[in-house]
Amino acid sequence: MVGDKIGGIDFYSADGSGAGVKGSISYIASTAGSGGVTAMTFNTATSTVNNVERMRIASTGNVGIGTASPGAAYKLEVNGLLKANGGYFTN
């Protein structure tokens, strides 16, 4: 099923509070059926919510930061403010 976790690594709170999964790296199905398309997600916790998706690598290799669906037009899509120093940037 789309969105099902195929595998991954879960990280729990170190204080023993039983707060559940605080962060994870997950390999998920992004299409239905056998041999389907997959994606990898990276998740962290806020002060009030556990295991929030922060970054995704789509099956195309495109990376989304702050978005669960990086577009096809760019290798990197950032939803939010971005700081870049130096380097070479093109339009």
Side-chain angles (χ1 to χ4, degrees):
M1 296 288 293
V2 175
D4 282 355
K5 185 174 178 178
I6 298 167
I9 303 169
D10 292 335
F11 302 93
Y12 296 85
S13 175
D15 66 8
S17 65
V21 177
K22 299 298 270 182
S24 66
I25 301 170
S26 300
Y27 197 58
I28 61 168
S30 41
T31 60
S34 64
V37 178
T38 57
M40 186 173 284
T41 63
F42 297 80
N43 311 282
T44 64
T46 69
S47 60
T48 57
V49 181
N50 291 342
N51 211 32
V52 177
E53 183 175 329
R54 305 298 185 175
M55 184 174 81
R56 176 180 294 240
I57 302 174
S59 62
T60 59
N62 293 357
V63 176
I65 300 174
T67 178
S69 54
Y74 303 103
K75 284 306 208 181
L76 175 64
E77 181 176 339
V78 178
N79 183 12
L81 297 176
L82 173 68
K83 180 179 180 181
N85 293 320
Y88 181 74
F89 305 97
T90 63
N91 219 356

